């Protein structure tokens, strides 16, 4: 009971031209096999199939530190420069988890994600960013404020030492923890106050 017509729909209208079309929606299309225009009266027109994000996508996004759009689909690091990469190194998003896509686009994205993953594997080692946050254990008061603020879940608490500890592989050096640390125990490596002052003195001299 399914009829396929090869062609492109030019418009959908409710303006009837005969009794058969009264009270119906009319799909005006070209049948490219027959080479002629057609008017097809129908009860319902579905312009595109609906697609929604998974109900647990927000929970998964928090677990993997991946941002989501208002529709619940995962967001890439950069639309043009990093279309399959995420802020979490080694995690790539392809296909409909990023938004509604057709099969060719999904396949091309999957190839890009696989190539990105293989490029990391082929190196044998993973290089981390040098500008990351560091904690001075002697100054850390163990208040744990930084743990809840870190967007990359890179900070944990060492119960034995009673201080916060930063996972260098997860830290992106955003500086959120350093700005909120009440004891001033957290600084950004290569961006300390002494280094910044030295840079300013070098410029002014």
């Amino acid at each position: 009971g399914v009829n396929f017509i090869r062609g492109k729909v030019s418009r959908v209208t409710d303006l009837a031209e005969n009794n058969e079309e009264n009270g119906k929606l009319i799909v005006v299309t070209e049948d490219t096999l027959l080479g002629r225009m057609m008017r097809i009266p129908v009860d319902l027109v579905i312009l595109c199939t609906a697609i929604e994000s998974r109900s647990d996508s927000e929970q998964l996004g928090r677990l993997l530190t991946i941002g989501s759009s208002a529709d619940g689909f995962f967001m890439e690091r950069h639309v043009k420069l990093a279309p399959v990469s995420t802020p979490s190194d080694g995690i790539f998003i392809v296909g409909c988890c990023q938004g509604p896509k057709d099969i060719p686009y999904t396949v091309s994205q999957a190839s890009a994600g696989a190539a990105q993953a293989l490029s990391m594997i082929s190196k044998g080692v993973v290089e981390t960013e040098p500008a990351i946050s560091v904690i001075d254990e002697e100054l850390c008061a163990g208040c744990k404020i930084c743990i809840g603020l870190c967007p990359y879940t890179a900070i944990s608490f060492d119960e034995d030492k009673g201080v916060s500890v930063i996972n260098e592989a997860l830290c992106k050096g955003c500086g959120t923890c350093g700005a909120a640390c009440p004891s001033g125990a957290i600084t950004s490596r290569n961006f300390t106050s002494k280094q910044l002052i030295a840079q300013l003195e070098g410029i002014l001299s």
Side-chain angles (χ1 to χ4, degrees), residues 17-37:
E17 293 184 356
N18 51 53
N19 293 331
E20 184 186 0
E21 295 179 355
N22 284 333
K24 300 271 189 177
L25 290 173
I26 297 92
V27 179
V28 182
T29 181
E30 177 191 7
D31 190 325
T32 56
L33 293 178
L34 299 178
R36 63 183 177 86
M37 296 298 294

Side-chain angles (χ1 to χ4, degrees), residues 35-114:
R36 63 183 177 86
M37 296 298 294
M38 300 180 63
R39 290 175 61 89
I40 307 171
V42 296
D43 297 316
L44 178 68
V45 176
I46 301 174
L47 299 180
C48 65
T49 55
I51 183 170
E52 295 180 345
S53 60
R54 285 175 56 100
S55 58
D56 60 348
S57 62
E58 184 178 352
Q59 180 182 356
L60 180 61
R62 285 198 303 267
L63 180 65
L64 301 178
T65 320
I66 302 175
S68 300
S69 64
D71 298 327
F73 293 101
F74 296 136
M75 296 179 64
E76 65 284 335
R77 181 185 294 177
H78 192 281
V79 177
K80 299 291 185 182
L81 303 179
V84 297
S85 300
T86 65
S88 300
D89 294 333
I91 299 178
F92 307 98
I93 52 175
V94 300
C96 289
C97 70
Q98 194 179 14
K101 291 181 179 64
D102 57 12
I103 293 175
Y105 192 22
T106 299
V107 171
S108 63
Q109 267 206 325
S111 300

Side-chain angles (χ1 to χ4, degrees), residues 71-187:
D71 298 327
F73 293 101
F74 296 136
M75 296 179 64
E76 65 284 335
R77 181 185 294 177
H78 192 281
V79 177
K80 299 291 185 182
L81 303 179
V84 297
S85 300
T86 65
S88 300
D89 294 333
I91 299 178
F92 307 98
I93 52 175
V94 300
C96 289
C97 70
Q98 194 179 14
K101 291 181 179 64
D102 57 12
I103 293 175
Y105 192 22
T106 299
V107 171
S108 63
Q109 267 206 325
S111 300
Q116 292 271 17
L118 285 173
S119 66
M120 297 183 69
I121 295 172
S122 62
K123 290 180 181 179
V125 294
V126 176
E127 296 180 357
T128 59
E129 292 291 334
I132 60 174
S133 297
V134 291
I135 296 178
D136 187 341
E137 295 184 356
E138 294 183 359
L139 296 178
C140 180
C143 63
K144 301 181 182 180
I145 293 176
C146 55
I147 297 176
L149 294 176
C150 180
Y152 302 100
T153 63
I155 307 176
S156 58
F157 190 75
D158 189 331
E159 296 291 347
D160 296 332
K161 295 182 179 180
V163 296
S164 296
V165 180
I166 293 178
N167 186 333
E168 296 186 359
L170 297 176
C171 180
K172 301 298 178 185
C174 65
T176 303
C177 55
C181 182
S183 59
I186 304 177
T187 57

